[in-house]
Amino acid sequence: MHRRIFLSLLSVAGLAALLDAGDGQAASTPPSDKYPDAFGVLHDSARCIGCRKCEAGCRARHADLLPEPDKPFDDLSVLEKKRRTDYRCYTVVNKYTVKGRETPVFRKIQCNHCLEPACVSACFVKALTKTEQGPVVYNPGLCVGCRYCMVACPFYIPAYDYGGVLNPLVYKCDMCAPFIAKGELPACVESCPKEALNFGKRNDLLRLARERMRTHPARYVPHIYGEKEAGGTSWLYIAPTAHTALGQQELGASPLPQRSAGIMEAACMTAGIAPVLLGGAYLVRRRRDEIAASEREAAVKEAVDNAAAETAAKLKTAAEEAAKDKETAIAREVKKAREETLGEIQAQTAAAGDSGGNASEAKTEEDAR
């Protein structure tokens, strides 16, 4: 095991052993029933200086998944704006100006790895699971992109890559679960230069937090955020001011899955009934479309037949009228020709008659002479 990891674990475990012997309050804290050996991280805001080294360490370890930031990690101007985790970063540090304090307070934000995670209970395909070691891990191969985890999480941690059209995924801190399994520290803990982050067994971290509050009562408010909130979290916080002043909402002690059980049962029932209803609606619509298509086809055929019959009737009428006009024209031309012929005959007859009369008159005159 790496020397720094060994010393970190040894210091937490050793202090816990001492406190077990001398601190009744610490010893009274029972381990988690489901995860007695779960790991966790204690974040001490009184020690955090907002250097963003934890952000840099996280990105370096997950360089295959996380892109380069818009601004370098040594640019502390980003602390002037409140940030949240998204598909580009698993953790961020925010700066809080607290009334009555001369210096700002810094808080690191990431997945809190709840003991009873609401995101896990909301995921009906089991893409999110809580491991016995403490981390809540994500399996992208099972995710269907429903984003129920985003709605369920009280800390607004799971982020969705809306730009990943072909393969949109959920992004969140996994507490470096693969590295913890190999005996290594989470990247953020390993990168912290001020020991504002401590890694170890959750119950040991609770004892460490209480010892710091007991030793320096003026430095910390007497509240370990995450000890009981939402049923408890693997990520714990102690701070020199009220946690609500650092953007941490007040949550009851009961696990969120217990509160949302009825809703999730209704959601599961809806998920089961919805395909049936949608399938029935699809069949009804499909049948309606088929009937409409059949009616349209019949209407078109009828219109074509009517148009053809009307065209045939018009052609027949036109042909009859043309034949009638032709007969009339022939009769007219025959009549005209007959009249012209009779006129010519009459003219010739008249001409012949005039010629005979003139000859008789000439003979009479000659005979008279």
Side-chain angles (χ1 to χ4, degrees), residues 11 35 40 45-46 61 75 93 118 120 125 144 149 168 175-176 206 231-232 250-251 295 321 327 332 347:
S11 62
Y35 310 103
S45 292
R61 182 168 287 182
D75 185 350
V93 175
V120 172
V125 295
V144 296
C149 57
M175 206 196 294
C176 293
L206 287 171
E250 293 182 354
L251 298 172
E295 291 176 349
E321 291 178 354
E327 291 176 358
R332 185 173 58 249

Side-chain angles (χ1 to χ4, degrees), residues 285-299:
R285 180 174 180 177
R286 180 178 177 181
R287 179 57 181 165
R288 185 185 63 188
D289 292 344
E290 289 176 353
I291 293 173
S294 178
E295 291 176 349
R296 285 196 300 270
E297 183 179 353

Side-chain angles (χ1 to χ4, degrees), residues 71-124:
K71 295 183 179 181
F73 290 108
D74 58 0
D75 185 350
L76 302 185
S77 64
V78 300
L79 298 176
E80 300 305 318
K81 181 179 179 181
K82 295 296 182 294
R83 298 177 297 152
R84 60 156 293 178
T85 59
D86 58 24
Y87 70 94
R88 297 169 300 178
C89 56
Y90 288 158
T91 184
V92 297
V93 175
N94 278 339
K95 181 175 72 172
Y96 299 87
T97 301
V98 181
K99 184 178 180 180
R101 290 186 58 87
E102 297 181 357
T103 58
V105 181
F106 301 93
R107 178 172 72 92
K108 182 179 178 297
I109 301 172
Q110 71 297 304
C111 176
N112 286 323
H113 301 276
C114 303
L115 300 183
E116 299 288 342
C119 61
V120 172
S121 67
C123 184
F124 60 89

Side-chain angles (χ1 to χ4, degrees), residues 135-147:
V136 175
V137 296
Y138 168 69
N139 184 348
L142 297 177
C143 183
V144 296
C146 67
R147 287 164 286 171

Side-chain angles (χ1 to χ4, degrees), residues 84 117-128 138 142-160 162 168-172 256-257 260-261 263-275 278:
R84 60 156 293 178
C119 61
V120 172
S121 67
C123 184
F124 60 89
V125 295
K126 305 303 180 184
L128 289 163
Y138 168 69
L142 297 177
C143 183
V144 296
C146 67
R147 287 164 286 171
Y148 287 168
C149 57
M150 297 175 62
V151 178
C153 178
F155 305 106
Y156 311 106
I157 292 301
Y160 194 71
Y162 291 94
L169 301 175
V170 171
Y171 290 79
K172 62 173 286 299
L256 291 180
S260 60
I263 298 175
M264 291 311 301
E265 288 176 2
C268 292
M269 182 179 296
T270 302
I273 295 176
L278 293 175

